[in-house]
Amino acid sequence: MRTRLLIVFFLMSTFLNSEENFGIVVHGGAGVMSGLSEETRSQINAKIKESVSEAFLILENGGSSIDAVEKAVTILEDSPLFNAGRGSVYSSDEVQEMDASIMDGKKRLAGAVASVSIVKNPIKLARKVAEETDHVLLVGDGAEAFAKNAGIEIVDSSYFYHEERLQRVRNLKKNVSKFYKKSDKIGTVGAVALDKMGNISAATSTGGMTNKLPGRVGDSPIIGSGTWAQNGVCGVSSTGHGEYFIKYQVAREVCIRMEYLNQSLSKSSSSIINELADIGGSGGLIAIDSKGNISTPFNTKGMIRGSQTNKKELSSEIY
Ligand code: ASP
């Protein structure tokens, strides 16, 4: 009788605990972060906190993780402080080409867009691709035509204009003989969330890398590289030198090591980021597991990040 009672108590506490845990973690890119003035740092921290707390409110009210990550990323895309949506970096022909992806770990629903230049919020378009087409990834003109039909807000490309980032690509072009040998990798944005129903979602949005070749697509819209969400295991959003994150399938790899090697989220995610550093792949990632644990490893000097869970207060950090 006593054993039975203990078992019932154990099962109830596991159920209640897993049902109650929820949280959100966001990033605003990994990189050197050395030239940031105090004013810019405080603007970044304020925007990250706004993004986290708006998404947290959705989760607290019983909303879904996919709504939470879409909201968090939209707020960051609307800010010129980050390399996503407004304020995206420029390619070598001085065009802003944006990539984004979103994934819901409940049914592995995934959508992505690449090389779009007139879509105000690429993350919203990625979600439409996931929910309203039979496809996962749409690119360029086709993605923009779909956006118009799907009622997604279209803007003139001048909406994304950012003087300092334009000067940066012009300077880089003067100084380097090969494209993207020396590039700026700061400012991609992403979010991962666990909701009260145990669903995990992830989202990533970027302008890519400064001075990239026209048409270059990085890891951010590649499911399994820049974004991954898998209920019961983990959710990940990556940032950094995208070519490495594609070749090492970083986002998915975090969950694979947890699933098959029984590693903790922290061990799995930090070992991958350390391994990337050894081969020259700079960057970081944010991740959440099915219990609401968070991990934010990076091998660069800084990574803009913030989080809040039912157990952990709102925070924002850069270094
Ligand atoms: N991963 C992005 C890309 O390669 C850039 C970044 O995260 O900063 O396009």
Side-chain angles (χ1 to χ4, degrees), residues 19-207:
E19 207 189 27
E20 271 171 13
N21 285 335
F22 60 96
I24 171 96
V25 50
V26 312
H27 72 76
V32 180
M33 317 276 171
S34 55
L36 299 178
S37 68
E38 205 166 325
E39 195 194 344
T40 308
R41 284 205 303 265
S42 82
Q43 285 172 346
I44 288 172
N45 280 324
K47 202 35 103 178
I48 289 287
K49 282 188 174 168
E50 179 190 332
S51 160
V52 171
S53 46
E54 291 272 330
F56 186 78
L57 203 62
I58 293 175
L59 299 170
E60 206 173 29
N61 290 333
S64 66
S65 56
I66 191 157
D67 282 347
V69 294
E70 184 190 23
K71 180 76 185 177
V73 167
T74 300
I75 289 171
L76 301 176
E77 283 180 340
D78 287 343
S79 164
L81 289 167
F82 305 95
N83 169 22
R86 189 168 215 183
S88 284
V89 298
Y90 290 80
S91 64
S92 60
D93 61 355
E94 300 181 7
V95 172
Q96 288 156 299
E97 292 181 348
M98 287 151 259
D99 307 332
S101 66
I102 195 163
M103 185 170 188
D104 183 340
K106 191 175 170 187
K107 290 190 186 153
R108 295 208 185 184
L109 184 81
V113 293
S115 299
V116 292
S117 294
I118 52 166
V119 175
K120 182 168 179 266
N121 292 106
I123 201 64
K124 290 188 179 174
L125 183 57
R127 185 165 177 183
K128 286 274 184 200
V129 172
E131 292 178 342
E132 293 180 15
T133 76
D134 290 333
H135 310 305
V136 170
L137 173 62
L138 294 182
V139 304
D141 292 348
E144 288 171 351
F146 170 69
K148 288 173 192 161
N149 284 332
I152 287 284
E153 190 171 350
I154 300 294
V155 289
D156 188 85
S157 56
S158 60
Y159 165 82
F160 300 101
Y161 173 77
H162 194 292
E163 176 61 27
E164 191 239 312
R165 285 176 198 149
L166 183 58
Q167 290 314 322
R168 203 177 289 173
V169 76
R170 287 182 178 161
N171 289 337
L172 264 175
K173 283 198 290 184
K174 274 188 229 146
N175 298 334
V176 294
S177 54
K178 258 192 146 189
F179 291 114
Y180 63 76
K181 268 288 168 202
K182 277 188 183 174
S183 7
D184 165 22
K185 302 183 284 289
I186 299 169
T188 289
V189 306
V192 293
L194 168 72
D195 65 30
K196 288 183 179 179
M197 288 75 75
N199 296 319
I200 296 176
S201 295
T204 311
S205 182
T206 190

Side-chain angles (χ1 to χ4, degrees), residues 17-22 193-195 197-200 230-235 258 265 287-294:
N17 197 27
S18 66
E19 207 189 27
E20 271 171 13
N21 285 335
F22 60 96
L194 168 72
D195 65 30
M197 288 75 75
N199 296 319
I200 296 176
Q230 187 175 353
N231 276 15
V233 188
C234 76
M258 292 177 70
L265 180 77
I288 197 163
D289 70 12
S290 54
K291 296 187 188 90
N293 296 310
I294 278 173

Side-chain angles (χ1 to χ4, degrees), residues 30 83 99 185-188 206 208-209 216 218-220 238-243:
N83 169 22
D99 307 332
K185 302 183 284 289
I186 299 169
T188 289
T206 190
M209 289 167 78
R216 176 264 188 189
D219 60 317
S220 306
S238 314
T239 174
H241 195 147
E243 281 69 11

